[in-house]
């Protein structure tokens, strides 16, 4: 059975589960009602809010949808054991930005996962790590299909070995955070077509392709390479149902019209995990501190830079926000979510 049939989709389109509020229930429902797979990026969402959002999505669509969580240990999500970098402290002081660290750097993954056991969803996907075979089986018992994320063929193979239903292979072109966890995925990041090819050589698990996919022709290309579905994020960011702030959205549109550079860069400066976004002043100014061994680990640095990003958003400052975008950002359009979906499937 094809993955399209397994997930009960009409079209081979997965809307990427972008965390941080970009994916609203309305966006997810629009994609799912169209026949694609709408996705909620819930890795930063409190368990009670997640439960409520799932209920809301279920009222807006009868179609399948996906919830994505970030795999973190209790130690990682609950402890600050690294000091805030001096360069970040100095920036806060120079800009008169008040900041207080939260009691914990991230939500409890175990509590988020419990929500999915208690309020089952059609599809659950995972990033930043891998869950256990027992957890995969428990999700499948309540009717949930399980999808892993991989930046390297060995990560895809690991997901296959614990019984996942599919793997999203995320090429280096993709915007936002890279979802892998093995050192190999960082030391020599693979482009999407290479990643698909090498993954196909070591496992036959169904693949979803992500990274730089912006058009119907791109979807056809990754299918020809060996993926069954295409996961698309950046193209949805400038559509009407996406809830990123106006300054972020305008920066993406400006990158598509030449009003600003469309250059993107992989950076650790916002969270310590590699993530691709538009080049801006923050990435330029603090580039000397990019080295992995000088940054607090994820999710600690992510919590430490939260006040910086919030201040930039409040002050309509695109130069100190995390402007996550993939290498296809020059092709974004200001359009309705439905117009984008219709464009993606209009290829003969």
């Amino acid at each position: 059975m094809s993955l399209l049939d397994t997930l009960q989709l009409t079209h081979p389109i997965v809307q990427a589960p972008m965390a941080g509020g970009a994916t609203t229930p309305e966006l997810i429902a629009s994609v799912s009602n169209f026949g694609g797979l709408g996705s909620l990026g819930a890795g930063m969402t409190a368990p009670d809010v997640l439960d409520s959002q799932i209920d809301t999505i279920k009222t807006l669509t009868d179609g399948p949808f996906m919830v994505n969580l970030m795999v973190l240990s209790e130690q990682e999500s609950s402890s600050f054991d690294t000091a805030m970098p001096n360069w970040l402290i100095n920036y806060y002081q120079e800009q008169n930005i008040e900041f207080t660290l939260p009691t914990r750097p991230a939500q409890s993954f175990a509590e988020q996962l419990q929500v999915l056991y208690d309020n089952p969803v059609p599809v659950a996907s995972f990033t930043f790590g891998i869950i256990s075979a027992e957890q995969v089986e428990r999700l499948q018992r309540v009717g949930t299909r399980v999808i892993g994320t991989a930046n390297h063929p060995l990560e895809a193979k690991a997901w296959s070995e614990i019984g996942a239903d599919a793997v999203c292979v995320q090429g280096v072109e993709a915007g936002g955070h890279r979802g892998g966890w093995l050192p190999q995925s960082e030391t020599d990041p693979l482009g999407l077509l290479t990643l698909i090819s090498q993954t196909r050589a070591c496992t036959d698990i169904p693949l979803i392709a992500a990274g730089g996919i912006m058009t119907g022709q791109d979807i056809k290309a990754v299918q020809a390479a060996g993926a069954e579905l295409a996961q698309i994020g950046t193209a949805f960011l400038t559509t009407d149902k996406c809830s990123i702030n106006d300054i972020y959205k305008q920066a993406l549109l400006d990158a598509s019209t030449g009003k600003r550079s469309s250059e993107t860069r992989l950076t650790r400066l916002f969270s310590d995990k590699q993530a691709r976004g538009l080049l801006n002043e923050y990435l330029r100014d603090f580039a000397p501190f990019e080295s992995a061994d000088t940054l607090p680990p994820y999710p600690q640095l992510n919590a430490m830079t939260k006040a910086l990003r919030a201040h930039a958003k409040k002050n309509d400052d695109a130069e100190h926000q995390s402007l996550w975008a993939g290498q296809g950002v020059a092709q974004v359009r200001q359009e309705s979510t439905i117009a984008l979906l219709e464009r993606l499937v209009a290829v003969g």
Side-chain angles (χ1 to χ4, degrees):
M1 183 183 290
S2 72
L3 195 54
L4 205 67
D5 292 331
T6 299
L7 300 181
Q8 300 180 307
L9 307 179
T10 307
H11 302 294
I13 296 169
V14 180
Q15 165 250 310
M18 300 167 283
T23 51
T24 62
E26 291 74 21
L27 171 62
I28 295 154
S30 293
V31 177
S32 292
N33 289 334
F34 186 81
L37 186 67
S39 306
L40 177 67
M44 301 162 73
T45 305
D48 59 333
V49 176
L50 172 57
D51 189 48
S52 175
Q53 289 178 333
I54 291 171
D55 287 341
T56 300
I57 296 166
K58 288 178 177 179
T59 67
L60 296 174
T61 183
D62 292 326
F65 64 92
M66 179 165 72
V67 171
N68 175 266
L69 296 180
M70 301 169 180
V71 180
L72 292 171
S73 69
E74 189 57 29
Q75 171 70 20
E76 288 173 316
S77 63
S78 64
S79 303
F80 284 101
D81 57 16
T82 307
M84 184 179 289
N86 287 330
W87 57 266
L88 185 56
I89 293 173
N90 292 339
Y91 179 81
Y92 281 144
Q93 292 174 342
E94 290 166 3
Q95 301 299 319
N96 293 317
I97 299 173
E98 292 185 15
F99 66 91
T100 51
L101 291 179
T103 55
R104 54 186 299 151
Q107 299 293 328
S108 165
F109 171 69
E111 292 178 11
Q112 292 174 321
L113 186 59
Q114 187 63 47
V115 172
L116 301 191
Y117 295 145
D118 297 337
N119 191 0
V121 297
V123 185
S125 67
F126 299 90
T127 188
F128 295 170
I130 189 167
I131 61 177
S132 69
E134 291 75 20
Q135 289 168 323
V136 170
E137 185 181 3
R138 185 172 175 186
L139 286 164
Q140 291 170 336
R141 279 203 308 268
V142 297
T144 300
R145 300 289 185 175
V146 177
I147 297 175
T149 306
N151 298 137
H152 191 277
L154 291 177
E155 294 169 338
K157 189 169 184 287
W159 277 106
S160 177
E161 289 171 349
I162 62 167
D165 295 283
V167 172
C168 177
V169 285
Q170 183 191 34
V172 71
E173 304 93 337
H177 282 90
R178 288 171 58 74
W181 71 95
L182 294 176
Q184 295 94 318
S185 71
E186 289 196 19
T187 53
D188 187 17
L190 298 173
L192 180 56
L193 295 181
T194 300
L195 178 56
I196 293 172
S197 175
Q198 291 189 10
T199 302
R200 276 280 69 97
C202 72
T203 176
D204 60 0
I205 192 170
L207 300 183
I208 300 168
I213 301 170
M214 302 292 291
T215 66
Q217 289 89 346
D218 292 339
I219 295 173
K220 298 281 189 185
V222 297
Q223 287 181 312
E228 294 188 42
L229 309 180
Q231 181 168 289
I232 299 167
T234 302
F236 281 101
L237 290 173
T238 51
T239 67
D240 63 337
K241 298 295 185 185
C242 184
S243 63
I244 61 172
N245 67 80
D246 291 342
I247 298 303
Y248 179 4
K249 191 171 287 191
Q250 191 60 52
L252 299 175
L253 291 168
D254 287 348
S256 73
T257 60
K259 292 182 180 178
R260 73 175 291 147
S261 171
S262 61
E263 181 181 349
T264 62
R265 185 170 293 181
L266 280 176
T267 181
R268 287 190 177 89
L269 286 171
F270 282 106
S271 72
D272 185 51
K273 279 197 177 290
Q274 282 187 333
R276 183 176 296 282
L278 281 177
L279 183 60
N280 60 8
E281 286 180 17
Y282 177 77
L283 299 190
R284 289 191 190 94
D285 291 347
F286 297 108
F289 306 104
E290 184 78 52
S291 175
D293 59 2
T294 65
L295 295 174
Y298 184 91
Q300 295 178 51
L301 182 60
N302 192 63
M304 292 171 182
T305 63
K306 185 176 180 179
L308 177 148
R309 289 174 278 127
H311 183 266
K313 180 179 176 181
K314 181 180 178 182
N315 289 278
D316 295 339
D317 172 17
E319 297 307 314
H320 294 86
Q321 292 188 45
S322 47
L323 303 174
W324 302 138
Q327 289 183 333
V329 64
Q331 294 174 273
V332 300
R333 299 184 188 181
Q334 187 169 16
E335 59 189 336
S336 70
T337 301
I338 294 301
L340 169 61
L341 289 164
E342 290 175 342
R343 220 164 31 81
L344 291 172
V345 302
V347 181

